[in-house]
Amino acid sequence: MRLERRINLQQLSAYYPEPGLTMSYGYKSEPIGNVDDPGLRDGTIQLWLVLPEIEDVLRNISFILVPIQSEENTATLGPDDDQSLEKTNNGVSESLKAFTTGSLECLALGTFWLQKCIQQHTTCDRPALVSAEEMRPSRLIDVGTFEQDTLRLCLRADFPAYLRYATLSHCWGVIQDRVHLTQRCLKAWQTVIPNEALMSTFKDAVQVTRNLGMRYLWIDSLCIIQDSKSDWLYESSRMSNVYKYAHCNIAATASESDASGMFRTRDSPIDLPVLLDFTNICPEFTEGQSSNGLKGVYNLHCNLLWFYEMLLNAPLAKRAWVVQERLLAPRVLHFTKTQIFWECNELEACESWPEGMPPRQYDHVSSKAHSPFNLQRDLLYKDIGNIASHQSDQLRRSFDVWGHIVQTYSQSRLTYGEDKLVAISALASEMKPLMQCRYLAGHWGIDLIRQLGWPGYDAIAHAARYRAPSWAWTSVDGINMFFHGMRYSHEQCFFPLAEILHVQVDLASEDEFGPVEGGYLEIRGKLLSAKSLIDSEKEQNMVPRSGKPLLIQETATHLRFYQDGNEPEIEKPLYCMPLALILLHNEDDRMLFEGLMLHPTETPDVYRRIGSIGPSLGEMFDEHDPIFPLLGQIERSSSGGKSFTRNELNFATFRIV
């Protein structure tokens, strides 16, 4: 049975994110780049939703029209049994006839994706680098069967030898009288978990687990003792293994709290691909158009579907803990507001595109592409050749993966700010074999001087309670895209303007990736007196992204001060610590400058970071700046090459806490 309801053209306005703009829409078709673009199926047409008065805005709202070659033929996707899956040969799943994401058709499609991954994919399973004992969680929920509907908590000693379990990613939400695992109920729950502990999302997750053919489920609030700090710290340190060795992660992507459940009722003619027949509909639309105009029967898909349902409209995507859950798990089954989605290393799919999202259009959406496991696998089987070149390439690619992790994580939200390090600790532990150095409160011991120049202009504020040294990006809230831009390129030369003599990080437990209680950098470098200026009211309003103008050593400079967060004006004195120069070979005299703004503490020779120093956004630094002689000098060879000699006059040794 296929959906053949003809769509009301005005209904398409429901996709538009702004309320009130629901009238006067028309259509126009435009090619996407080359008509023969292999990223789209042959004959596919891009459709823009157009409001004539403000047409320039509407390119955000677009659809894909996929031609239907035959409406009647079907093909079998799954095994030949009563749960086999059918699809029309235009690639749209038969689950689309279901009006809820919790239907048997949707769950059968999820089962199909899971089985396809297990049977056909070669890069999705995680390598078993630890013993079977370490691979298992400390506790799991036995979800029973459909016939025996009793749940109980199992301890590791009770697990069967062959174990497949699911995990749940969810938003806790603000719920009064939430029931969770405590020391008091630990023993009783091993007999039966009471119904009042199973909120709507948990009940739905149990149903999905059973339908996927598994007996065990891990839910953080029901498997970690919530009133035991020692248990919480221990289980947090093992989070990597919990998700890494799960058979599948179930994601309540559309749910803002555990009370709202995972499944959603949907309006199929709006939320799902719809049959559009342009043979008889809106004859004025095709009037006067060329032979390339819209003709025939198409399936209408919302373009950027992944972005709208997995990011923009997904409460779960805004939760910081979920970043590592999503990257660590080998497979993720998402329940969004309109469809179910699938993610594994070799397939991103949804009900609209059950065989995979269109290539090239959706290449950039794959979160699994930035997983540490892919890099581990690539480097393991790579022909090393030149060892120095291999190490340089490994470092560059490792920081690129870490940069993606930090950027995604830093733009997500934490309920408790003190979890900043813990909620990313599992990913950090997976990165360590690639970095092959100490982990330092969000940074890495190798090439640490390069990592200290993260900009202050995207920082919102310092944490209310101490959680990291001021030089660490984990000490502030706000988006951090700096690691993505760390420059390992033959076209650039990095010259440090300071030296790190010693790094101390005081851990709160034995877990080097967990919370910290203190730490410092011992630095040898320059401290130049600095004064931030606000020239005008206009300048004040442009802070923080445009930075504050500066005097350094009482001299005007083109550099700017980007304060870490919107804190009150810092008391004087202030000091500029030059950090690095980056020469660009493809530029004549321009370069990049990175520095830190420091404020002295009550302890002599001890400072804390309060921001970064650099050129105005989009601009460069050059040797004509008045403070350049304080940094050093550039030497040019007869062949046109450039080198830099650092000026170490007045170098001092001090600490940054």
Side-chain angles (χ1 to χ4, degrees), residues 565-584:
N566 298 321
E567 299 178 4
E569 185 68 29
I570 304 297
E571 295 182 3
K572 301 173 183 178
L574 301 177
Y575 294 93
C576 166
M577 189 197 91
L579 194 64
L581 276 181
I582 302 169
L583 301 187
L584 309 177

PDB file of all heavy atoms in Angstrom, residues 565-584:
ATOM      1  N   GLY A 565      34.601  35.545  27.962  1.00  0.00           N
ATOM      2  CA  GLY A 565      33.293  35.721  28.570  1.00  0.00           C
ATOM      3  C   GLY A 565      32.994  37.169  28.894  1.00  0.00           C
ATOM      4  O   GLY A 565      33.856  38.049  28.870  1.00  0.00           O
ATOM      5  N   ASN A 566      31.743  37.425  29.214  1.00  0.00           N
ATOM      6  CA  ASN A 566      31.282  38.786  29.492  1.00  0.00           C
ATOM      7  C   ASN A 566      31.350  39.093  30.982  1.00  0.00           C
ATOM      8  O   ASN A 566      30.357  39.464  31.603  1.00  0.00           O
ATOM      9  CB  ASN A 566      29.844  38.956  28.988  1.00  0.00           C
ATOM     10  CG  ASN A 566      29.758  38.757  27.485  1.00  0.00           C
ATOM     11  OD1 ASN A 566      30.638  39.174  26.750  1.00  0.00           O
ATOM     12  ND2 ASN A 566      28.708  38.098  27.048  1.00  0.00           N
ATOM     13  N   GLU A 567      32.505  38.910  31.540  1.00  0.00           N
ATOM     14  CA  GLU A 567      32.686  39.203  32.954  1.00  0.00           C
ATOM     15  C   GLU A 567      32.916  40.704  33.145  1.00  0.00           C
ATOM     16  O   GLU A 567      33.247  41.421  32.201  1.00  0.00           O
ATOM     17  CB  GLU A 567      33.875  38.414  33.506  1.00  0.00           C
ATOM     18  CG  GLU A 567      33.689  36.905  33.395  1.00  0.00           C
ATOM     19  CD  GLU A 567      34.901  36.148  33.902  1.00  0.00           C
ATOM     20  OE1 GLU A 567      35.825  36.813  34.404  1.00  0.00           O
ATOM     21  OE2 GLU A 567      34.920  34.925  33.788  1.00  0.00           O
ATOM     22  N   PRO A 568      32.745  41.208  34.372  1.00  0.00           N
ATOM     23  CA  PRO A 568      33.047  42.631  34.630  1.00  0.00           C
ATOM     24  C   PRO A 568      34.489  42.959  34.261  1.00  0.00           C
ATOM     25  O   PRO A 568      35.342  42.074  34.172  1.00  0.00           O
ATOM     26  CB  PRO A 568      32.814  42.767  36.136  1.00  0.00           C
ATOM     27  CG  PRO A 568      31.903  41.638  36.487  1.00  0.00           C
ATOM     28  CD  PRO A 568      32.244  40.515  35.559  1.00  0.00           C
ATOM     29  N   GLU A 569      34.731  44.203  34.033  1.00  0.00           N
ATOM     30  CA  GLU A 569      36.086  44.636  33.663  1.00  0.00           C
ATOM     31  C   GLU A 569      37.104  44.147  34.680  1.00  0.00           C
ATOM     32  O   GLU A 569      36.916  44.279  35.889  1.00  0.00           O
ATOM     33  CB  GLU A 569      36.139  46.163  33.573  1.00  0.00           C
ATOM     34  CG  GLU A 569      37.465  46.693  33.069  1.00  0.00           C
ATOM     35  CD  GLU A 569      37.704  46.336  31.613  1.00  0.00           C
ATOM     36  OE1 GLU A 569      36.736  46.192  30.859  1.00  0.00           O
ATOM     37  OE2 GLU A 569      38.889  46.201  31.246  1.00  0.00           O
ATOM     38  N   ILE A 570      38.164  43.536  34.181  1.00  0.00           N
ATOM     39  CA  ILE A 570      39.199  42.995  35.050  1.00  0.00           C
ATOM     40  C   ILE A 570      40.051  44.142  35.603  1.00  0.00           C
ATOM     41  O   ILE A 570      40.408  45.081  34.899  1.00  0.00           O
ATOM     42  CB  ILE A 570      40.094  42.005  34.275  1.00  0.00           C
ATOM     43  CG1 ILE A 570      39.228  40.896  33.654  1.00  0.00           C
ATOM     44  CG2 ILE A 570      41.147  41.423  35.181  1.00  0.00           C
ATOM     45  CD1 ILE A 570      38.506  40.042  34.650  1.00  0.00           C
ATOM     46  N   GLU A 571      40.367  44.045  36.868  1.00  0.00           N
ATOM     47  CA  GLU A 571      41.208  45.072  37.477  1.00  0.00           C
ATOM     48  C   GLU A 571      42.616  45.033  36.884  1.00  0.00           C
ATOM     49  O   GLU A 571      43.117  43.985  36.486  1.00  0.00           O
ATOM     50  CB  GLU A 571      41.271  44.861  38.995  1.00  0.00           C
ATOM     51  CG  GLU A 571      39.940  45.059  39.708  1.00  0.00           C
ATOM     52  CD  GLU A 571      40.089  44.879  41.211  1.00  0.00           C
ATOM     53  OE1 GLU A 571      41.229  44.656  41.671  1.00  0.00           O
ATOM     54  OE2 GLU A 571      39.069  44.961  41.912  1.00  0.00           O
ATOM     55  N   LYS A 572      43.238  46.181  36.841  1.00  0.00           N
ATOM     56  CA  LYS A 572      44.612  46.282  36.366  1.00  0.00           C
ATOM     57  C   LYS A 572      45.544  45.809  37.482  1.00  0.00           C
ATOM     58  O   LYS A 572      45.153  45.781  38.643  1.00  0.00           O
ATOM     59  CB  LYS A 572      44.920  47.723  35.969  1.00  0.00           C
ATOM     60  CG  LYS A 572      43.965  48.231  34.871  1.00  0.00           C
ATOM     61  CD  LYS A 572      44.176  49.701  34.625  1.00  0.00           C
ATOM     62  CE  LYS A 572      43.179  50.204  33.582  1.00  0.00           C
ATOM     63  NZ  LYS A 572      43.301  51.643  33.340  1.00  0.00           N
ATOM     64  N   PRO A 573      46.777  45.425  37.129  1.00  0.00           N
ATOM     65  CA  PRO A 573      47.414  45.476  35.811  1.00  0.00           C
ATOM     66  C   PRO A 573      47.082  44.247  34.963  1.00  0.00           C
ATOM     67  O   PRO A 573      46.672  43.210  35.474  1.00  0.00           O
ATOM     68  CB  PRO A 573      48.893  45.507  36.166  1.00  0.00           C
ATOM     69  CG  PRO A 573      48.984  44.703  37.430  1.00  0.00           C
ATOM     70  CD  PRO A 573      47.730  45.007  38.185  1.00  0.00           C
ATOM     71  N   LEU A 574      47.300  44.388  33.658  1.00  0.00           N
ATOM     72  CA  LEU A 574      47.132  43.303  32.700  1.00  0.00           C
ATOM     73  C   LEU A 574      48.441  43.108  31.945  1.00  0.00           C
ATOM     74  O   LEU A 574      49.220  44.044  31.781  1.00  0.00           O
ATOM     75  CB  LEU A 574      46.012  43.623  31.706  1.00  0.00           C
ATOM     76  CG  LEU A 574      44.620  43.887  32.282  1.00  0.00           C
ATOM     77  CD1 LEU A 574      43.646  44.253  31.162  1.00  0.00           C
ATOM     78  CD2 LEU A 574      44.110  42.682  33.053  1.00  0.00           C
ATOM     79  N   TYR A 575      48.649  41.870  31.489  1.00  0.00           N
ATOM     80  CA  TYR A 575      49.889  41.557  30.771  1.00  0.00           C
ATOM     81  C   TYR A 575      49.580  40.737  29.520  1.00  0.00           C
ATOM     82  O   TYR A 575      48.768  39.806  29.547  1.00  0.00           O
ATOM     83  CB  TYR A 575      50.856  40.779  31.661  1.00  0.00           C
ATOM     84  CG  TYR A 575      51.353  41.585  32.837  1.00  0.00           C
ATOM     85  CD1 TYR A 575      50.690  41.517  34.066  1.00  0.00           C
ATOM     86  CD2 TYR A 575      52.455  42.424  32.718  1.00  0.00           C
ATOM     87  CE1 TYR A 575      51.122  42.271  35.148  1.00  0.00           C
ATOM     88  CE2 TYR A 575      52.898  43.181  33.795  1.00  0.00           C
ATOM     89  CZ  TYR A 575      52.224  43.105  35.004  1.00  0.00           C
ATOM     90  OH  TYR A 575      52.653  43.857  36.069  1.00  0.00           O
ATOM     91  N   CYS A 576      50.269  41.111  28.449  1.00  0.00           N
ATOM     92  CA  CYS A 576      50.216  40.337  27.213  1.00  0.00           C
ATOM     93  C   CYS A 576      51.361  39.335  27.216  1.00  0.00           C
ATOM     94  O   CYS A 576      52.526  39.719  27.391  1.00  0.00           O
ATOM     95  CB  CYS A 576      50.333  41.263  26.000  1.00  0.00           C
ATOM     96  SG  CYS A 576      50.670  40.418  24.440  1.00  0.00           S
ATOM     97  N   MET A 577      51.019  38.037  27.049  1.00  0.00           N
ATOM     98  CA  MET A 577      52.047  37.013  26.908  1.00  0.00           C
ATOM     99  C   MET A 577      52.066  36.545  25.456  1.00  0.00           C
ATOM    100  O   MET A 577      51.167  35.820  25.014  1.00  0.00           O
ATOM    101  CB  MET A 577      51.780  35.815  27.813  1.00  0.00           C
ATOM    102  CG  MET A 577      52.951  34.835  27.828  1.00  0.00           C
ATOM    103  SD  MET A 577      52.521  33.196  28.460  1.00  0.00           S
ATOM    104  CE  MET A 577      52.066  32.373  26.955  1.00  0.00           C
ATOM    105  N   PRO A 578      53.048  36.974  24.641  1.00  0.00           N
ATOM    106  CA  PRO A 578      53.132  36.482  23.265  1.00  0.00           C
ATOM    107  C   PRO A 578      53.280  34.958  23.254  1.00  0.00           C
ATOM    108  O   PRO A 578      54.101  34.396  23.989  1.00  0.00           O
ATOM    109  CB  PRO A 578      54.381  37.173  22.717  1.00  0.00           C
ATOM    110  CG  PRO A 578      54.557  38.389  23.591  1.00  0.00           C
ATOM    111  CD  PRO A 578      54.104  37.944  24.958  1.00  0.00           C
ATOM    112  N   LEU A 579      52.490  34.319  22.429  1.00  0.00           N
ATOM    113  CA  LEU A 579      52.458  32.856  22.414  1.00  0.00           C
ATOM    114  C   LEU A 579      53.112  32.283  21.163  1.00  0.00           C
ATOM    115  O   LEU A 579      53.943  31.374  21.240  1.00  0.00           O
ATOM    116  CB  LEU A 579      50.998  32.388  22.498  1.00  0.00           C
ATOM    117  CG  LEU A 579      50.735  30.936  22.816  1.00  0.00           C
ATOM    118  CD1 LEU A 579      51.247  30.595  24.207  1.00  0.00           C
ATOM    119  CD2 LEU A 579      49.235  30.646  22.726  1.00  0.00           C
ATOM    120  N   ALA A 580      52.742  32.817  19.981  1.00  0.00           N
ATOM    121  CA  ALA A 580      53.270  32.236  18.748  1.00  0.00           C
ATOM    122  C   ALA A 580      53.075  33.181  17.576  1.00  0.00           C
ATOM    123  O   ALA A 580      52.160  34.008  17.560  1.00  0.00           O
ATOM    124  CB  ALA A 580      52.583  30.905  18.453  1.00  0.00           C
ATOM    125  N   LEU A 581      53.954  33.046  16.590  1.00  0.00           N
ATOM    126  CA  LEU A 581      53.801  33.656  15.270  1.00  0.00           C
ATOM    127  C   LEU A 581      53.669  32.530  14.248  1.00  0.00           C
ATOM    128  O   LEU A 581      54.366  31.506  14.348  1.00  0.00           O
ATOM    129  CB  LEU A 581      55.006  34.515  14.901  1.00  0.00           C
ATOM    130  CG  LEU A 581      55.069  35.953  15.403  1.00  0.00           C
ATOM    131  CD1 LEU A 581      56.343  36.598  14.896  1.00  0.00           C
ATOM    132  CD2 LEU A 581      53.853  36.745  14.962  1.00  0.00           C
ATOM    133  N   ILE A 582      52.818  32.738  13.274  1.00  0.00           N
ATOM    134  CA  ILE A 582      52.643  31.754  12.209  1.00  0.00           C
ATOM    135  C   ILE A 582      52.862  32.471  10.886  1.00  0.00           C
ATOM    136  O   ILE A 582      52.084  33.347  10.499  1.00  0.00           O
ATOM    137  CB  ILE A 582      51.242  31.119  12.253  1.00  0.00           C
ATOM    138  CG1 ILE A 582      51.021  30.454  13.614  1.00  0.00           C
ATOM    139  CG2 ILE A 582      51.068  30.107  11.131  1.00  0.00           C
ATOM    140  CD1 ILE A 582      49.600  30.035  13.870  1.00  0.00           C
ATOM    141  N   LEU A 583      53.957  32.129  10.212  1.00  0.00           N
ATOM    142  CA  LEU A 583      54.280  32.748   8.930  1.00  0.00           C
ATOM    143  C   LEU A 583      53.572  31.998   7.811  1.00  0.00           C
ATOM    144  O   LEU A 583      53.553  30.762   7.784  1.00  0.00           O
ATOM    145  CB  LEU A 583      55.788  32.722   8.686  1.00  0.00           C
ATOM    146  CG  LEU A 583      56.671  33.433   9.722  1.00  0.00           C
ATOM    147  CD1 LEU A 583      58.109  33.466   9.235  1.00  0.00           C
ATOM    148  CD2 LEU A 583      56.165  34.838   9.990  1.00  0.00           C
ATOM    149  N   LEU A 584      53.004  32.751   6.888  1.00  0.00           N
ATOM    150  CA  LEU A 584      52.285  32.174   5.760  1.00  0.00           C
ATOM    151  C   LEU A 584      53.138  32.325   4.513  1.00  0.00           C
ATOM    152  O   LEU A 584      53.416  33.435   4.073  1.00  0.00           O
ATOM    153  CB  LEU A 584      50.933  32.884   5.574  1.00  0.00           C
ATOM    154  CG  LEU A 584      50.067  32.978   6.846  1.00  0.00           C
ATOM    155  CD1 LEU A 584      48.793  33.759   6.554  1.00  0.00           C
ATOM    156  CD2 LEU A 584      49.740  31.597   7.372  1.00  0.00           C
TER     157      LEU A 584
END
